Amino acid sequence: MILSRSQALRGELAVPGDKSISHRSVMFGALANGLTEADHFLTGADCLSTIACFRQMGIEIEQQEDTVRIHGKGLHGLTRPQAILDVGNSGTTTRLLSGILAGQTFDSVLTGDDSIRKRPMKRIMTPLTQMGADIRSAGGTGCAPLEIHGSRLRGIHYLSPVASAQVKSCVLLAGLYADGPTSVTEPAISRNHSELMLRYFGADVRCSGATATIAPEPTLNGQKINVPGDISSAAYFLAAALLVPGSEILLRNVGINPTRDGILRVCQAMGAQIDLINVDSDGAEPCADLLVRASSLHGTTVEGAIIPTLIDELPVIAVLASFADGTTVIRDAAELKVKESDRIAVVTENLRRMGADVEPTDDGMVIHGGKPLHGAVIDPHLDHRIAMSFAVAALAADGETTIQDADCVRISYPEFYEDLARLQG
Ligand code: S3P
């Protein structure tokens, strides 16, 4: 994909459905009794991996454009998969599914692509083992392939060393099958979609501060779900509109759950003009339209409890910081190293290729903004969020930028380049 300096972005866009919520609607729908229908479902490769895994365990799932109908069979309705479960590139599928599989009466093996087979799974193996699960890393590396022998589980109180919704959700899902309540306390609150949605399906989930507790053996019932637009996908257009002079865009129906909206708060702290209109807080997942106008930005510090609420947006925040006046410091974000790529190294490498002044640190980056950026060849290391972040950088840089392996965006946003072209007129 070759991109260069853009004319002003104009118009409206409804970004695809939220990835985290789409995954969960399939998983929880499968464990519920009866039909779950999810509208505005994200048909990116990651969520299709989740659908494929549940089909392999005997769940009928129909997909028609962005509507998905899941014929749930209840908490104990999954059947033994006939083959190895392939999670593709999806960390969410790997970790949440492992929690479900740990408490089944059958054995299973799951694995995925090269990136997945390097990502840390000890973070879920440790609490699951404490619950009595039998889960092993086939190669002894602490990574997938994972072999899971279904076991009887006990409820635990797990003090998680990381603020991770995937770890939290894995433990809570195993807790559905435990002999007593299961709780997870995190160092900072991560996205709470599992807690909200499990409750919506009928589970007894309580939250107090950074602790979530689930009671075992609930009866889950199928539900209708309207998946909100993914704020993590909206983030690229929001950033592009802020950076390209003269831009004004309206991003329709974006999820603004407070455990996900850190990007809005950081952009506003950098001087961005973003108005939330048509705010709808009636449902479990609040939504709004975001009106974004080109703005001149200044540096900021991004640290502490806000980090889990914008973890996937840090690559595009680093891009914004490169164009902002002054210095931006990102810290407390060591988790970036264990995402689809090492996002500290890969963001630094590619920003430097474009001429930015950026230093990697152990838990983030220091970016001295305001130097004009120039086009470059970008290697996203097959990481969808890196490809999209640097597509945004290209729109405000001199000359041509080439994004290698540009189609890796299919993981979370298959129509990304088409939607960008539409806003460019
Ligand atoms: C996700 C949680 C986050 C996020 C990922 C999706 C989820 O990962 O980075 O893209 O759906 O629960 P961690 O839980 O590893 O922080």
Side-chain angles (χ1 to χ4, degrees):
M1 179 62 56
I2 298 176
L3 295 156
S4 49
R5 189 178 284 287
S6 180
Q7 62 195 50
L9 305 186
R10 295 268 165 180
E12 293 186 17
L13 178 67
V15 295
D18 187 275
K19 181 151 81 72
S20 295
I21 295 174
S22 296
H23 279 300
R24 286 160 172 79
S25 57
V26 173
M27 296 182 183
F28 305 169
L31 302 181
N33 299 306
L35 180 67
T36 287
E37 187 171 289
D39 285 330
H40 201 52
F41 184 91
L42 171 63
T43 55
D46 268 11
C47 299
L48 298 183
S49 295
T50 293
I51 289 182
C53 288
F54 279 86
R55 281 184 177 148
Q56 278 206 59
M57 293 187 288
I59 302 297
E60 186 194 338
I61 302 171
E62 301 162 80
Q63 187 205 329
Q64 227 169 20
E65 293 171 5
D66 67 353
T67 297
V68 170
R69 290 158 63 88
I70 304 118
H71 297 268
K73 290 190 174 172
L75 216 50
H76 299 280
L78 299 179
T79 53
R80 189 172 82 87
Q82 297 304 307
I84 293 177
L85 296 165
D86 182 1
V87 301
N89 187 245
S90 173
T92 304
T93 312
T94 314
R95 297 199 177 106
L96 273 61
L97 187 50
S98 296
I100 295 171
L101 292 172
Q104 301 300 317
T105 52
F106 54 77
D107 296 348
S108 50
V109 179
L110 50 82
T111 194
D113 67 8
D114 288 350
S115 155
I116 269 298
R117 282 184 275 111
K118 289 192 198 111
R119 295 184 67 187
M121 294 300 153
K122 279 203 181 120
R123 54 180 55 201
I124 55 161
M125 292 164 68
T126 300
L128 289 177
T129 305
Q130 282 176 24
M131 294 179 79
D134 184 349
I135 175 168
R136 291 169 212 200
S137 156
T141 53
C143 302
L146 298 175
E147 297 170 348
I148 302 174
H149 304 277
S151 310
R152 296 175 73 93
L153 303 179
R154 40 181 183 272
I156 60 167
H157 182 181
Y158 186 58
L159 222 57
S160 177
V162 280
S164 158
Q166 292 180 358
V167 172
K168 173 175 61 178
S169 304
C170 168
V171 176
L172 293 177
L173 286 167
L176 293 172
Y177 299 96
D179 62 359
T182 296
S183 45
V184 183
T185 301
E186 316 185 78
I189 300 177
S190 66
R191 65 190 67 190
N192 64 357
H193 306 302
S194 293
E195 297 90 307
L196 296 177
M197 210 193 288
L198 281 166
R199 202 180 286 148
Y200 181 58
F201 273 82
D204 176 2
V205 182
R206 287 156 209 235
C207 300
S208 163
T211 300
T213 305
I214 194 162
E217 294 294 336
T219 300
L220 305 178
N221 289 311
Q223 300 295 337
K224 180 104 179 65
I225 295 164
N226 268 315
V227 181
D230 196 327
I231 191 167
S232 298
S233 298
Y236 304 107
F237 299 110
L238 183 152
L242 291 175
L243 292 181
V244 177
S247 297
E248 179 171 329
I249 62 169
L250 187 68
L251 297 165
R252 288 245 182 245
N253 197 37
V254 178
I256 53 161
N257 178 317
T259 65
R260 291 287 299 283
D261 72 349
I263 173 97
L264 302 180
R265 288 178 274 150
V266 164
C267 287
Q268 280 158 346
M270 294 175 85
Q273 301 179 69
I274 305 172
D275 292 320
L276 271 59
I277 48 187
N278 298 323
V279 177
D280 175 0
S281 328
D282 289 350
E285 295 282 355
C287 292
D289 298 340
L290 309 181
L291 178 63
V292 189
R293 296 189 188 90
S295 308
S296 60
L297 303 178
H298 52 78
T300 186
T301 298
V302 191
E303 62 183 350
I306 201 171
I307 294 290
T309 75
L310 47 65
I311 189 71
D312 290 342
E313 289 66 75
L314 284 168
V316 80
I317 288 173
V319 166
L320 286 172
S322 302
F323 289 97
D325 283 335
T327 298
T328 293
V329 179
I330 298 171
R331 57 168 81 97
D332 304 323
E335 278 293 297
L336 288 178
K337 294 189 208 163
V338 293
K339 293 294 176 186
E340 286 84 329
S341 67
D342 174 345
R343 288 182 177 161
I344 295 181
V346 175
V347 167
T348 302
E349 169 199 326
N350 285 305
L351 277 178
R352 283 181 172 165
R353 288 187 189 192
M354 297 186 79
D357 181 351
V358 49
E359 283 303 321
T361 64
D362 271 353
D363 65 349
M365 285 164 246
V366 178
I367 301 146
H368 301 287
K371 267 180 81 180
L373 264 51
H374 53 75
V377 175
I378 299 299
D379 179 0
H381 294 243
L382 297 176
D383 182 336
H384 56 130
R385 302 214 183 275
I386 302 294
M388 290 186 276
S389 298
F390 282 87
V392 170
L395 306 179
D398 290 329
E400 274 187 356
T401 294
T402 303
I403 314 277
Q404 296 177 320
D405 300 312
D407 76 333
C408 64
V409 304
R410 73 184 189 289
I411 292 296
S412 65
Y413 200 154
E415 311 289 317
F416 173 73
Y417 299 107
E418 289 82 351
D419 283 352
L420 175 59
R422 242 169 6 90
L423 291 178
Q424 290 177 306

